[in-house]
Structure formats: structure tokens, C-alpha cells
Amino acid sequence: MMAAHLRAVDGEKLGLGQALKDGYSEPVPNSEEKKEKIILSNKAGESKSPYVRAHSSNPVAWQIWGDEAIALARKENRLLFVSIGYSACHWCHVMERESFENEEIAAILNDAFIPVKVDREERPDIDRIYMNFVQATTGSGGWPLNVFVTPDLEPVFGGTYWPGPTSNTTLFEDQVDFLGILNKLSTVWEEQEERCRRDSAQILQQLKNFAAEGTFGGRLGEGADGLDIELLEEANQHFASTFDKKNGGFGSAPKFPTPSKLSFLLRLAQYPPVVVDIVGAEDCHKAQDMAITTLRKMARGGIHDHIGNGFARYSVTADWSLPHFEKMLYDNAQLLHVYLDGFLLSRDAELLGVVYDIATYLTTTLAHPAGGFYSSEDADSLYKRGDSEKREGAFYVWTKREFENVLGSQTEPILSAFFNVGEHGNVEPENDAHDEFIDQNVLAIVSAPSTLASTFGMKEEEVVRILKEGKAALRAHREKERVRPGLDDKIVVSWNGIAIGALARTGAVIKGFDPVKSEEYLGSAIKAAGFIKENLYDESTHTLYRIWREGRGETKGFADDYAFLIEGLIDLYEATFDDKWLHLADDLQKSQISHFYDSSGSGAFFSTHSFAAHVILRLKDGMDTSEPSTNGTSASNLYRLSSLLNDDSYATKAKQTVAGFESETLQYPWLFASFMPSIVAGRLGLKGVVVSQGEEIDGNGNKKIKEFEKAPRGGLGAFARLDSGSTWLRERNGLLRNFGLDGKTRILICENGTCRDEGNASEAGLVKEPPLDDLGGVTAALPVVEEITAVQDKGLGAIQE
């Protein structure tokens, strides 16, 4: 709606998009004498970002975003060409090869523009502003994100990938090649600068207006009355209408995992009964089925790295068979949360196997030795050692002959049938724009061990053994012979926060039946939290910094860094009951409110600081995208902290944050799935449980803790444990100052504004789930088990390790 409005206001096109197609007119002669042009030098090597530094050998004289580049553009009166991407982005690398390594294009960029390279993971604020512009003026967005902006940083023209002079990519209808764009824009700016500035200022003002209209326009504290539980029903109906019953997921290709949607669907039946009654018990059950089906389809698809670990960012095809091969920390951390909930609700050992798979990926491939998690792995790599040109997915694809050579004649047919490996590959030509997948196979599970046992005339246990041994052989070959994709070894606070929470919850869930892995995963979460506290948090000013790579970066944390880290720290506290993590979460919450909260407007959190330099538009992140909404997550954090700390001011801020997005949420509730737990909490409240442990070795307090640790996420709640070391929490929450000091195990239940001491009641405040230890398939899913046994769901869980 916003895009359509901006693309055609009063019947006229805005911006220079149409001018580039129709040509410009009425040139204004420039009577000024030509100034002596400066010669730019490439400064990309001065950046700490691996993505930016990778462009240091380009003939394009890349500048680094900041005071110097902007001052230079103003001095020379040039447009800035701002190119935004990230290390794992396939099309970013394609555009670099086709255009930024091209001498003709470099000469134009260096002579007529100020070219600036930006890592979107370092500067999500800049990315969001100009992505809003590109989406509004073109109707789509993505990366690389390329925008021409005035010296005052107002956007003039933008888009995503533009083919370069050496491109063999088929042009879309009306798509302009990059060389043509540069030639026309340099002339238009020189001869029609006033028009450029007028159009860009007009579009920027409309973006500001739409940003303001997107949040509730009333005074702070008003609104939210229309945000009722029925919105969950409406969101669920929308997801059901777009659900792909055959392949799982939503919509058609390209298809993304959308963890926020899956989390919403899994939570529905876990809310209080009044929510289930409104949505409908049958619809809640169907919602869970949609999510579980999607999780299974993804786990078996090509988007999942079956030989190594982890998931790619998205699938080019509707059936999850062909991914874009980049792997992102934020995707895998969110998916760990969702697969964990899926397992807890389904008790499906296949999903537990995926939980181990993702947790292993985070704690090995993406783990920094001193703590914290790296950002991503590239999609492109060299096909074999000695090659000079990278190819998409080269590390992950296989030919039939490779399978034969690595596995041998006895084993190869079984694994080929299992993974859909064929002589001529399994990638359709229409999905192979650069002929990189000819005769190549992307591995995806298309058969079950029981089926293969029947086909090849052997026992199912023998098939499972062959599959496991075959996978190990393929992995050994891949690690030895292939060139691993590039690793973006930045540590980004926001994404680390998601990973910390997911690993903490995983460690708590598996503690009862796999204490070794539990300690490993929980230890990794603790180590990461400690690394961030030590290296990226200024305790004297209570300020976060966003990036660590070869030392702390200069960029201060954004609202999402605070939101996701606070959430992870609350999860870590509820897995360890170590007060210091809750204390840090509380300090960070106060800082997030101080730096980002809109206390004079409609409430909610801006993405950027009020004092941020070179920010032409302060936005509030409301909708879920590839990451959960910053404001949706912040509202949940505030409610949880309000319960844990008995702090009503946090609950008030939570309600105001939700109210800030009332207008958009009422229209499109399915775009705001992360807000739904807070909408329920705002209507029904949330339950807090406090266990003060006495001297009983295995009393009712321990039972309540174990039940809580194994509960899937549903409605917002809080769980605290007090012992002799809980000094800070007793001081921060006056309600708990003297609770349980008599040495006896006591249980306190707080809900609906009141608290009651349940003493040592055996069923206080929690609903029992079937014990995980009783699951027959769990043992088979554990990666440490040597004996291979048949497990549920046709044995698929046994081969997920």
C-alpha cells in the first residue's frame, strides 16, 4: 500500500526511476567552471567488517560510511552511491564480480560519485532506512541494496541487484543494467540537480509520514483497547490460508523458514484456556500441525545441511529442495528455539535430532573460542582446491560419481536413493541461472529407512547403520577435499542474544536424559553471555556496543541488540537461576528505555539512538521479518521482567509499546506475530512462579523446576528460584525480601495482581507434561549413542546426527 502510493502520487511517478527509462528532459546548463576532480583511493581495507574488507582489492574506490565520506560528497557536490550487503549474500558476490571488479564501471563510480560500501550487519539502521525507500519506490527489496543519495543523504534512486557488463543473467522486464544507470544518473545529477533534490526530499517526507502513521498517533499511554485476543484468531486464519499443505511453509517460492510464524503457531494451544476457546481448540491443534509439518519438511529438505549441520537461509523452490546456501546465525538460533518447542509438543525424536544438529552447529562451526558466535557462512566457495572462481553451493553439492567414489558400490545405491542423487543432478535448469548445478545434486531426504529396507532386502537397523556410516564418510571427504565457504567472524550482539537464549533452553530441556550435552550447550550460552559482558558492555555507562571483531567496534548497540540480548539473558537466568544474568538484563532494560524509548510520542522503541549521527529517519521496528520484531520482543521482555522483579513500570512500558503499533496490528495482525504473547498478557496478565528451595533433596520445589524447564513456550510467564545466594533479586524485588528464609521449600504464585504462598503444595502453578525420559525414541536421537536402534517416525530421528 505504501509502495503503490509512493510510486504513483497524483498520477505522476516520483523519483528518477521513470526518468531512467524515459530519459531526462530540459537540461539546465551548468555555468560553473569545472573544479579539479579529486582522486579517490579504496579505503575498504580500513574497516573491521569482513564483508567491507573483502572489497579492498576492487578498482572501485570504496569509502567507509561516516563523517569523512559524507563531508567529501558535500564538498564535491556528488551523489553518494551506497552499496549495502553482507558476507554470506550470494547476489552481493555476483554483483561484485560483474560490476565492482569492472574497470569501466569503477571509473564512472570514482569520477562521478562517492562510492560507499556498508555491511548491513554492522549498520542495520542505514540498511532499514534505505530499504524502506527501495521497497516503497520499487515494490520489492533485498540485497545487495544499492542506493544513490544526495550529499544530505536523501535517497534519489535505488534497487537491488543490477546486471553488470559481463553478466549472463536474464534481465527482468524494464530492468536497467548498472552501466546504463550510472551513465544516466551522473548526467541527471549534473544537469538536473534541483529536480533530484526536490523529488528525493518529497519522497523522504512521505516516508516519514508513513512511518508516523504506522504507529498509533495518539498520546503516550492511549490506545491498545482494540488489540484483543481475537487478533490471534485472525492471524491464525491468515497463516492457514497461505499454508502449503504439500510442502509445509507458507506461500510459494522462494520460501523462508519464518521462525516467528512457526513460534506463533506452536504457542497457540499453550495459552490460557480462554485463548484456546476464542481461537478454537481444533484450530489450535491444526496450527500446531502446520508448524510441525513445516519443521519436518524443512528438516528433510535441501535447505538442511544433512552432511554437516545447520540450515541455509531460504529455499529457491517451494519444496525446500534447493537453498540459497548461505547460513546465518540468526536463522539457526531462531530455528533452535522453534525445533525445541516442536519436540516438546510432539515428542518426536526426529525433531530432537534436529535440535542437536543446530545446537552442534552453533557450538562448533559458529563458536568463537573465547565465547560468542560468528555471524554467517557464505553461499559461494571454490569447488575444489586450486580453482580461482567461486560457485554457489560448491561446498554442499555432489555428483553421482563422487557418491560412487566415496561410498563404494555397495553403499552408494542406498544413500543415493535416500538423498535423491541422480546421474544428471537434481536441480532444474530454470533454477540454475549461471549453470553452476549441471549434474550436481543437492541432498534432500526423499525416502525412509523402512522403505529402503524393503527395496534393498535388508533389515531396517542395517539401513540406518549404512546411512550413518555413509554420512560420516561423505563428511570426512567434504572436510578434506572441499574448500569451506568463507566465515564472517563478526560477533553481533543481537544475534548472539537469540543464540544464548536458545542454547540455554536446550540445555535445560535435555538435562534429565543427556547431562553431558546439556552442560556443553548451557556452558556455551554462559560463555557467550560472559564474553559480551566483558567485551561489548561498558558497565560505567550501561552501554552496549554492537560488533566485536579483532576487538570492539565503534558502533554502539541498536534497540535490537538490547532487545534480543535481554531476552537471551532472561532465558539464561531461568535455565541457571544465577542472579547476575537477571541483574544484567535489568540494567540493559533500563538503558534500552533511556536510549530508544519514545517517551514524548506514541510509545515503543526507535531502532536508533536519539543522538545517532547521519540518520535521516528514525524508525520503529514493528513487523516480524527474518528476525523477530524488536518492539514485539521488547514488550515480552518488559512483561517478563515486570513479573520477575515486581516492577509495574516495566508492565506499563510493555502495554505502551504494544499500543504504539495498534493501527498496523489491527489491519495486519499476521505481520506482528511477535506481539501476540504481549497482547494476551495485556488482557489476561501473566503468571509468575517463585520457588524458594529448602533443604529437601528432591522436594516439590525441584519438581516444579523440572516441569518448568521442560515446558514449551506459550503465554508469557516468569520463573524464579531463590536460595542463599539470591541477594540481588531479594533486594530488587521487595516482595521476595523475606520469602522462604525459614529454610523450608516454599512456592509463591503471582497472577492477576496478587500473590499467594502455596507452601509446599504439590501442584502449584504448573501443568505436568509427560516425562521426556520415558520416550522410546529419545535414546536413538542422542548423538552420543553407539548402538543404532529403530526409532519413531520411520526411523528418521536416528540419522539426524
Side-chain angles (χ1 to χ4, degrees), residues 151-220:
D152 294 325
L153 306 183
E154 295 174 334
V156 174
F157 179 76
T160 55
Y161 163 78
W162 291 312
T166 62
S167 175
N168 60 0
T169 302
T170 303
L171 291 175
F172 300 110
E173 184 180 359
D174 295 332
Q175 188 175 22
V176 187
D177 67 275
F178 189 42
L179 188 58
I181 289 171
L182 291 177
N183 284 324
K184 290 184 177 181
L185 259 179
S186 60
T187 305
V188 168
W189 176 253
E190 183 176 351
E191 298 183 349
Q192 298 190 53
E193 177 185 335
E194 184 179 347
R195 174 190 172 184
C196 288
R197 290 184 180 274
R198 184 179 66 247
D199 285 355
S200 61
Q202 185 179 356
I203 291 178
L204 178 60
Q205 185 57 51
Q206 295 223 8
L207 286 173
K208 289 180 178 179
N209 293 342
F210 277 112
E213 290 174 13
T215 56
F216 185 74
R219 292 182 293 114
L220 185 65

Side-chain angles (χ1 to χ4, degrees), residues 622-637:
M623 293 186 295
D624 297 314
T625 57
S626 56
E627 301 169 43
S629 161
T630 298
N631 275 284
T633 302
S634 296
S636 293
N637 293 341

Side-chain angles (χ1 to χ4, degrees), residues 482-546:
R482 304 275 179 89
V483 180
R484 193 165 191 99
L487 176 71
D488 187 328
D489 57 357
K490 295 192 309 295
I491 293 175
V492 179
V493 167
S494 61
W495 303 349
N496 271 254
I498 302 172
I500 287 167
L503 286 167
R505 291 186 61 229
T506 301
V509 166
I510 68 174
K511 188 191 307 181
F513 56 81
D514 192 356
V516 174
K517 282 294 180 182
S518 170
E519 184 176 349
E520 178 183 331
Y521 297 153
L522 193 54
S524 186
I526 292 170
K527 193 175 180 182
F531 180 90
I532 291 172
K533 186 175 187 294
E534 180 69 24
N535 296 282
L536 289 165
Y537 179 59
D538 185 338
E539 196 162 1
S540 64
T541 61
H542 302 292
T543 300
L544 269 179
Y545 287 79
R546 179 170 175 83

Side-chain angles (χ1 to χ4, degrees), residues 94-107:
V94 172
M95 191 163 181
E96 180 187 11
R97 289 195 299 268
E98 294 178 355
S99 296
F100 303 146
E101 294 176 357
N102 182 276
E103 295 288 348
E104 182 180 8
I105 280 181

Side-chain angles (χ1 to χ4, degrees), residues 251-370:
S252 56
K255 192 172 280 184
F256 291 79
T258 60
S260 293
K261 293 181 183 179
L262 299 176
S263 179
F264 167 83
L265 295 170
L266 292 172
R267 283 179 183 261
L268 267 184
Q270 309 308 306
Y271 284 116
V274 64
V275 178
V276 177
D277 290 342
I278 291 173
V279 177
E282 183 178 355
D283 285 343
C284 288
H285 180 73
K286 289 180 179 178
Q288 181 175 312
D289 286 346
M290 284 191 287
I292 298 295
T293 296
T294 301
L295 292 174
R296 288 179 179 139
K297 294 288 187 179
M298 288 195 304
R300 299 168 190 176
I303 194 173
H304 185 192
D305 181 2
H306 296 281
I307 301 306
N309 305 105
F311 284 78
R313 181 166 167 258
Y314 69 95
S315 175
V316 176
T317 56
D319 63 356
W320 308 103
S321 62
L322 177 62
H324 258 314
F325 290 86
E326 62 264 35
K327 292 180 182 176
M328 312 300 297
L329 171 60
Y330 62 78
D331 282 321
N332 283 279
Q334 289 179 87
L335 286 172
L336 179 54
H337 269 303
V338 177
Y339 271 99
L340 186 64
D341 287 331
F343 162 66
L344 289 170
L345 291 168
S346 68
R347 298 303 204 260
D348 183 346
E350 179 184 2
L351 300 188
L352 177 61
V354 182
V355 168
Y356 276 102
D357 176 285
I358 301 172
T360 299
Y361 180 65
L362 297 182
T363 56
T364 55
T365 304
L366 293 187
H368 184 277

Side-chain angles (χ1 to χ4, degrees), residues 572-621:
L572 184 58
Y573 166 74
E574 291 183 335
T576 63
F577 300 114
D578 187 335
D579 278 13
K580 70 180 178 184
W581 304 125
L582 189 58
H583 189 176
L584 180 56
D586 185 33
D587 286 346
L588 290 171
Q589 187 60 77
K590 293 173 183 175
S591 295
Q592 189 197 27
I593 292 170
S594 172
H595 296 322
F596 302 98
Y597 193 74
D598 183 8
S599 57
S600 60
S602 59
F605 294 87
F606 288 110
S607 297
T608 53
H609 291 268
S610 58
F611 51 81
H614 311 309
V615 175
I616 60 173
L617 182 63
R618 288 189 82 193
L619 299 171
K620 294 177 182 178
D621 173 17

Side-chain angles (χ1 to χ4, degrees), residues 138-149:
T138 70
S140 62
W143 297 276
L145 177 65
N146 298 298
V147 189
F148 295 88
V149 305

